[in-house]
Amino acid sequence: MNKASRIFCPSLITPKNAVVKQTEQLSRSQKLLTELGLVKSGSNGTYQIMPMAQRSVDKCIDLVQSNMQQAGGQKITLPILTPTGLWKKTGRLEGDISEFYMVRDRSGKQFLMSPTHEEAVTAMLATTSPISYRQLPLRLFQIGPKFRDELKTRFGLMRAKEFLMKDMYSFDVSEETAKETYSVVNSAYDRLFKQLEVPFVKVNAATGMMGGSVSHEYHYVSPVGEDNLLQCSSCGFAGNSEVVKASASCPSCNSSDLNEVRGVEVAHTFLLGDKYSKPLGATFLNTSGKPQSLVMGCYGIGITRVIAAALEVLSSDHELHWPKLLAPYDVCLIGPKQGSKEQPQAEVIENELLLNVGEICGHQELLHDDRKELTIGKRLLEAKRLGHPLTIVVGAKSARQDSPKLEVHTSKGETYELDFSETLKLVAEHSQNKKSLERGCFQRETEESKSRSVGHQL
C-alpha cells in the first residue's frame, strides 16, 4: 500500500515574509511540480523526477507503448551514442549542429549523444542480412533519453537538455505503402491524444533538418508555446506558420475565421522517403530478388513534454490537474487526526475503505495519507494541490451514529457528502471511465478535442 508518510516528495518550503528572487520565467506546470516536490532541478536544463511524478511518467510510457504496439510497432533499444560518421554520410553534420552533444572515446573516435536515431536504426538494417519484401512493413520503436544542448532551457520539462522520448522508425517497400504506414501511425497518435483528454491540434509542418516530403505536428495550445499556429474555426484547418503564411483567409476554405494561437509541440511525424536509406545503403530484396532502397518514416512523441504540457493546459495557478490516465494515484484517502474524539470509530471506517477502495481501483492506485499528526485541513489542501482525481476524507461526520458521511473531493473542484456505498460507487465510476479510455472508447467527442488536421490526402 502507498503511504504518504513513506513517499519521498521534497516539497519547497518558503519561509513567511521571504522575498523570492525570480531568476527565470516559470511556467505554471514547472512552478507547481517543483513546489510540490514532484520534480527537482538537477543542473541547468536537467531535471530529477521524484517517485510520485515517476508514476505518471511510467503510465505515459505504458500508454504510448500500447498504442505503438497496436499500430504494429516492435520495441527495441538503440545505443545513446551514435558514430558521427553515420551523420556525415547523410549530410546532417553539415548544417547547424550547435544543439548536439559530441563526445570522444579514448581512441579519439567521435560520437553524438543522439538527439534522434534515424541514422543509427537505418545503419542497423543496412548491416543486417538481406531483408525480404515479405518482412515489410517494419515498424521499430524505442523509448529512452534524448539530448539537445538547448540555448534557452525554460518551462521545466517542456524545454530541457535531456528528455524522454518515444521514437518510431518505419520501413516500407514503396512510397504507396509508406503512406499507408504513415496513416496507421498517425491514427494511433490521434487515438493516444484523445485518450489523454487534453484539447490538441494537428497541423501541417515543415520537414526541417529531418527531411522528407510530408510532416505533421501535434500541439497543445498554450500561451507558453513556442510555435505560432494558424487555426480556422470554420473548416478545422490548422497549420504551422512556418508552412502557412498569415493571410486574411483560410488556405483551405477561404473563410476569414482564421486565428493565430501558440502551441507546445508534443509529437511530430515525417514521411522520409529514401533520405537515410539511400546514403546508408539500407535495402531490401524486391519480388525480383533485386536490392531496392527502403522507404522510411519517423514518428516522435515527447513523453516528459506531454506530461508537462498537459499539466500546463489543465492546471490552475495553485493546483495540478492531471489527465485521468496519467494521474499518479486515482484516490487519496485521508484518515482522522490523531487524538481526535472521532478517531477510534472513524478508523474502523478508514480501514474498511482501504480494503474496498483498493479492490475497486487497484491497491497501487490508492494513496493513504497516514500522516495523522497533521490536521485534516492541511492534508486536504496538499491533496487538492497534487490534483488527485478523488480525495476521500474520513472526518468527524464519518463517526456520526445516525447517518455517517464521508467527504469526497474531485479534482474538478466538486465536493460531496456520501455514505459508504455511495463513495465506493463513485470510485467504481472513475475506475470504469479510466478503463474505457484505456480501451480507446470515448464517451463523447467535443469540437475542442477533435484533431484539427489537413493533409491526410497524401
Side-chain angles (χ1 to χ4, degrees):
M1 183 181 298
N2 302 294
K3 295 187 177 184
S5 63
R6 301 302 306 152
I7 293 177
F8 182 58
C9 195
S11 58
L12 291 181
I13 300 175
T14 305
K16 287 183 179 180
N17 304 320
V19 178
V20 180
K21 291 184 179 180
Q22 203 61 53
T23 57
E24 61 174 318
Q25 183 184 3
L26 298 181
S27 63
R28 180 188 295 148
S29 60
Q30 179 185 8
K31 180 175 179 290
L32 288 170
L33 287 170
T34 304
E35 285 182 356
L36 292 168
L38 275 66
V39 169
K40 282 179 62 66
S41 175
S43 58
N44 180 31
T46 66
Y47 294 90
Q48 301 154 348
I49 297 175
M50 299 298 104
M52 195 176 293
Q54 185 63 48
R55 287 181 59 86
S56 181
V57 171
D58 291 342
K59 288 182 179 185
C60 191
I61 289 173
D62 289 344
L63 187 63
V64 169
Q65 185 166 286
S66 172
N67 278 284
M68 291 305 96
Q69 289 170 340
Q70 286 184 56
Q74 300 179 64
K75 191 175 183 182
I76 61 172
T77 299
L78 296 168
I80 289 172
L81 298 178
T82 299
T84 54
L86 296 178
W87 282 60
K88 287 178 182 176
K89 286 184 179 180
T90 61
R92 287 214 288 179
L93 280 188
E94 296 171 5
D96 181 10
I97 60 172
S98 58
E99 287 188 353
F100 299 160
Y101 285 101
M102 303 281 196
V103 297
R104 293 182 185 275
D105 65 14
R106 65 186 67 195
S107 68
K109 188 173 182 180
Q110 194 173 44
F111 296 85
L112 275 162
M113 292 181 68
S114 301
T116 182
H117 277 83
E118 283 76 20
E119 282 84 356
V121 72
T122 308
M124 180 183 76
L125 291 190
T127 56
T128 301
S129 56
I131 296 170
S132 167
Y133 69 92
R134 293 187 180 90
Q135 295 172 262
L136 304 174
L138 192 58
R139 299 161 189 168
L140 305 175
F141 77 95
Q142 63 174 351
I143 297 175
K146 296 288 187 292
F147 302 87
R148 289 177 190 164
D149 188 10
E150 297 283 359
L151 180 62
K152 292 183 179 180
T153 59
R154 52 181 173 173
F155 305 142
L157 296 175
M158 278 191 282
R159 180 62 70 182
K161 292 188 176 185
E162 180 180 345
F163 51 95
L164 199 61
M165 184 172 133
K166 186 283 305 179
D167 42 326
M168 173 183 272
Y169 305 93
S170 63
F171 301 88
D172 280 89
V173 299
S174 66
E175 284 286 345
E176 183 179 356
T177 59
K179 289 174 183 178
E180 291 174 5
T181 289
Y182 191 82
S183 178
V184 167
V185 180
N186 272 260
S187 293
Y189 274 36
D190 292 342
R191 182 175 60 247
L192 167 69
F193 285 108
K194 288 175 184 176
Q195 286 174 307
L196 293 175
E197 298 185 299
V198 182
F200 70 96
V201 291
K202 179 182 177 182
V203 303
N204 283 342
T207 55
M209 70 167 287
M210 301 292 288
S213 57
V214 176
S215 174
H216 289 89
E217 294 169 342
Y218 289 75
H219 286 265
Y220 285 154
V221 175
S222 169
V224 303
E226 296 181 328
D227 289 272
N228 291 316
L229 312 177
L230 291 175
Q231 190 174 14
C232 177
S233 55
S234 295
C235 71
F237 170 87
N240 194 308
S241 59
E242 292 180 348
V243 176
V244 184
K245 302 304 178 185
S247 61
S249 60
C250 172
S252 179
C253 70
N254 293 320
S255 167
S256 59
D257 298 328
L258 200 60
N259 303 307
E260 188 169 327
V261 295
R262 304 282 289 177
V264 179
E265 181 192 332
V266 289
H268 209 150
T269 60
F270 298 86
L271 195 57
L272 298 172
D274 60 5
K275 173 180 169 62
Y276 299 92
S277 57
K278 198 167 186 178
L280 293 173
T283 61
F284 70 98
L285 298 181
N286 61 23
T287 54
S288 302
K290 295 180 179 179
Q292 187 175 323
S293 291
L294 289 160
V295 182
M296 293 177 59
C298 68
Y299 314 85
I301 294 176
I303 301 290
T304 41
R305 184 182 286 192
V306 162
I307 295 170
L311 289 172
E312 189 69 29
V313 172
L314 298 178
S315 302
S316 69
D317 287 338
H318 303 289
E319 297 177 359
L320 291 171
H321 293 160
W322 300 85
K324 201 177 278 95
L325 295 183
L326 301 187
Y329 301 98
D330 287 350
V331 181
C332 176
L333 180 63
I334 298 175
K337 187 177 187 310
Q338 187 174 337
S340 62
K341 62 181 181 181
E342 67 270 11
Q343 183 183 6
Q345 189 171 346
E347 281 186 341
V348 174
I349 297 173
E350 178 187 17
N351 291 329
E352 289 182 15
L353 279 169
L354 287 172
L355 179 62
N356 285 272
V357 171
E359 288 180 350
I360 293 171
C361 68
H363 290 284
Q364 283 303 310
E365 294 299 326
L366 172 60
L367 175 64
H368 181 206
D369 196 334
D370 59 334
R371 299 171 299 168
K372 295 185 178 181
E373 70 280 5
L374 302 178
T375 65
I376 285 179
K378 186 168 185 178
R379 285 179 283 163
L380 179 59
L381 178 62
E382 182 181 295
K384 286 183 175 181
R385 295 200 72 202
L386 286 168
H388 303 300
L390 295 174
T391 299
I392 303 171
V393 177
V394 188
K397 293 177 183 177
S398 69
R400 292 191 311 206
Q401 296 294 327
D402 50 350
S403 57
K405 295 290 183 181
L406 299 163
E407 206 174 274
V408 182
H409 300 260
T410 75
S411 57
K412 295 178 181 178
E414 303 157 330
T415 302
Y416 302 100
E417 282 192 6
L418 305 174
D419 63 26
F420 193 90
S421 62
E422 290 171 334
T423 300
L424 295 184
K425 183 180 179 182
L426 190 62
V427 173
E429 287 174 356
H430 175 81
S431 185
Q432 188 57 48
N433 187 236
K434 256 189 70 177
K435 289 176 182 175
S436 295
L437 283 174
E438 288 168 348
R439 292 194 301 268
C441 303
F442 310 108
Q443 293 180 336
R444 62 186 177 87
E445 185 175 55
T446 64
E447 284 302 314
E448 273 192 321
S449 64
K450 287 180 181 176
S451 166
R452 301 180 182 276
S453 62
V454 293
H456 290 294
Q457 303 84 7
L458 302 177

